[in-house]
Amino acid sequence: APWAAVAASFCGCASLRAGVEAYLSEGRGPFADARFGAPEEDSLYAASLAWVVGDGRPQDRLAYREPAHRAFDEALALGCLSPREASSLAVQAGAFPPSTRGWPVVLERTPTALNDVVEYGEYYRLVAGAPGDRADGDAWSRWEGHLVRVKTLRQGASSSGATLVCVHGFGASADQWRRLAADLPDGVERVVAAELLGFGLSAKPGLSYTQHLWEAALRDTLEKEVEGPWVLCGNSIGGGLCAGVAANAPERVAGLVLCNTAGALLDAEQAAEPGALDVAAATRARALAKAYEGPPQFLLDAFGEAVIAGLRPKIPELLEKYYGTRPSNADAALKAAISRDARDPGAANVIGSGAKLPPQRSLNEALNAYDGPVLVPQGALDAVTGPERATERGETLGTLRPGVTAKLFQSGHCPHDETPELVAGAIGEWWPAAAERAAALEMRAPVAP
């Protein structure tokens, strides 16, 4: 993990208090610049943040609360300093009270950012323990000190040796996979939905989110919590991230299901260009041609706030548009969940981080690196891309390489939830291919806590 040594240096009662006092006395900017230079660890996750920091000052490139999050979150989660004491230190140093905190963040300052970090941790701890319909099947894991949700949708001793792991799209949550799980054939015995950091009920820390951060968080969580091998099933951005995890760890992935996946698709001419299929290697080698030139962080946060303010009133209308074949499945529970989650502290920063995504590897590259079976249940009426583009993407994915099976359905951007019976049927027909690969992979149980 990037900057792991910084976080580890504060994982003690005395060292954490000393670190908090140093943060408050030095100020956010000098504290960040002294400790959070471009990370050197050998991983795509670290390399993506090295790209974000680049030749600039960490205080300018990192999210406003990121230095405090990365320095102290793991130690706070371990209880090295009580939240009350950490918050008291921030308030004594001049943190703005909660009633005046928030956008525009250009008005905020060092102690307020620290107090936010403490309060975010407590807020999401309470969310994780809250009862309600959305809590059924939930288990909670920590990744770098942050709470992430893993929902069990079907539990059995899988004869195939594989667990179907479902990953939602942008703005959605683990709850969106319940219909699919209910319609899957009996042969798919273990099904979980993994929620991405920054979405749903999971924590939304003020980090610089990149695709490689999400891939690392997803894989690390699965290694700890979910028996493998895994069949990764993703929708939209979740599909692109599942393809990335499969490319990074093909030995752990028995199959890949891409439901209207995000991700670049290159034509033959584009794929033949030098370096077109080596983006991951260039990222890891810190050799990307394009440098990060994003706007100031306060503009990214303001953009995120504006997007949420503009879209929240339109959530019911947009969902019914995206579920055009069966708008009744865009029900009140789905609308309420997405609206609720968008109001969580930290949500605006997740959206603003879209400007920090480094050049992405294409689906062509990912499926070259992952040689297992792939199923593409594609909603051909996708209102996000348009029906013509959706059909074209589904057909193109089906011809990328042997072992990719594409199925076009009369549904929209979320075929797994709009027409779950069709996607479930396609998965059932395709499942023996994933089961065959699972049998050839080394079985490994999750790491004991």
Side-chain angles (χ1 to χ4, degrees), residues 319-342:
L319 284 174
E320 289 172 13
K321 177 182 177 181
Y322 297 153
Y323 285 57
T325 299
R326 197 175 292 169
S328 59
N329 278 16
D331 57 21
L334 178 63
K335 295 168 185 175
I338 293 176
S339 180
R340 192 222 76 84
D341 299 344

Side-chain angles (χ1 to χ4, degrees), residues 21-34:
E21 291 173 346
Y23 172 83
L24 292 170
S25 62
E26 294 173 23
R28 173 195 173 276
F31 183 90
D33 291 346

Side-chain angles (χ1 to χ4, degrees), residues 156-179:
S158 177
S159 58
S160 70
T163 301
L164 182 66
V165 178
C166 303
V167 184
H168 60 85
F170 201 89
S173 71
D175 303 300
Q176 202 188 27
W177 297 96
R178 286 172 167 169
R179 290 190 180 97

